[in-house]
Amino acid sequence: MQTNNGTLAVPRLPPHDPGTPALSVVDMHTGGEPLRIVLAGCPEVVGPTVLAKRRYMRQHLDYVRRRLMYEPRGHRDMYGAVLVSSELPDAHLGVLFLHNEGYSSMCGHAVLALGRFALDFGLVPAPPAGAREARVNIHCPCGLVAAFVECEGGRSCGRVRFHSVPAFALATDLLVDVPGHGQVVVDIAYGGAFYAFVSAEKLGLDVCSAKTRDLVDAASAVTEAVRAQIKITHPDSEDLAFLYGTILTDGKDTYSEDPTTNICVFADEQVDRSPTGSGVTARIALQYHKGLLELNQTRAFKSSATGSVFTGKAVREAKCGDFNAVIVEVSGQAHYTGTASFIVEGNDPLKDGFLLK
């Protein structure tokens, strides 16, 4: 910081409550979708498993999420990550995902960013000299996800890819009564989180050109209708048995070398700026289930919000309980955008944040 006499002043925190540690973060984005990674200031998240830690954070530390995701420090579409320890011996780190409504079970864009972050901040062993890729095992609430980070000289450079947990189609061609739209054909698939998939055309919209507000309203109507009419179950844990959101597509599910476009609306009408990593995972599982995609056949998925692109492919078959599943590889590019330290003044009536609709 430059002062009037031309010397550099040492940065320091402004006045704040000395009993409330500053929350230090690194900000990144993947395909335009933000990720705020907590470096320091979050109290210990207690629990024997990552899923137990997710429950503990929701019950006891939710103010951390609100302070970082909500205005005035964030916005209603902010996304975050709190790093935690994992009970799995193969995991390099565990993570809890934060959004405007609560805590996700999986987030692909965050995994792509965290792969870079973990390598650059020394959370994984340095790769051997000359290695062009480093592996980072990230324990998400949905399970262990392996990220592979392009690197040079031990630092990240370029794209990141990850291998998902087993992804599967839960139900296809369901008829759901959606207020204002009548009966709509919906597919439900899991890619670490459950999504409803609908061709935007069936709702009278073009996913590539419609106003974002119109897409959000339509997707939210589908989400509410599915939640009211369809019971979501997961063979491994009830903690994972919930519909995260709806993904509206261009309807181009048959294989093509051209990108297929979609937009994801999740949590409390939060709009993903990226093509949605866990959504791409679920959509590939759905296309494979329908016989529209073969193993190791790569597709490109484009965000209607920003035009950013992820690629994905089903790399091998798997099982999830009684469901036939696939392991999906998703690839994308994450970027650093900055660092910050967020403080609280004790007399601030809005210290825990607020959201506008």
Side-chain angles (χ1 to χ4, degrees), residues 42-80:
C42 180
E44 181 184 4
V45 184
V46 177
T49 66
V50 166
L51 279 174
K53 289 178 171 70
R54 180 171 171 262
R55 292 191 292 269
Y56 181 91
M57 182 135 192
R58 182 191 293 121
Q59 295 167 7
H60 302 285
L61 300 174
D62 195 53
Y63 67 88
V64 174
R65 178 188 66 86
R66 297 195 305 272
R67 287 176 184 174
L68 291 176
M69 300 297 101
Y70 290 7
E71 295 185 53
R73 303 173 187 89
H75 53 84
R76 66 170 297 104
D77 294 309
M78 179 55 78
Y79 206 95

Side-chain angles (χ1 to χ4, degrees), residues 10 16 29 40 58 60 81 98 106 108 110 116 131 140 146-147 158 165 201 226 279 301 312 322 344 346 354-355:
V10 177
H16 62 284
H29 82 89
R58 182 191 293 121
H60 302 285
L98 322 178
M106 173 57 185
R116 286 197 68 191
C140 305
V165 296
E201 185 180 27
V226 172
F301 296 82
D322 292 331
V344 164
F354 62 92
L355 286 181

Side-chain angles (χ1 to χ4, degrees), residues 199-252:
S199 171
E201 185 180 27
K202 298 183 185 300
L203 302 169
L205 297 169
D206 182 338
V207 75
C208 298
S209 61
K211 293 180 180 179
T212 301
R213 183 69 258 171
D214 293 338
L215 294 170
V216 169
D217 288 344
S220 298
V222 172
T223 297
E224 291 175 9
V226 172
R227 286 174 176 168
Q229 298 169 44
I230 308 296
K231 179 174 175 55
I232 303 292
T233 60
H234 191 280
D236 292 340
S237 174
E238 278 300 307
D239 283 313
L240 306 175
F242 64 96
L243 187 71
Y244 190 31
T246 291
I247 295 179
L248 302 181
T249 78
D250 58 7
K252 298 176 181 178

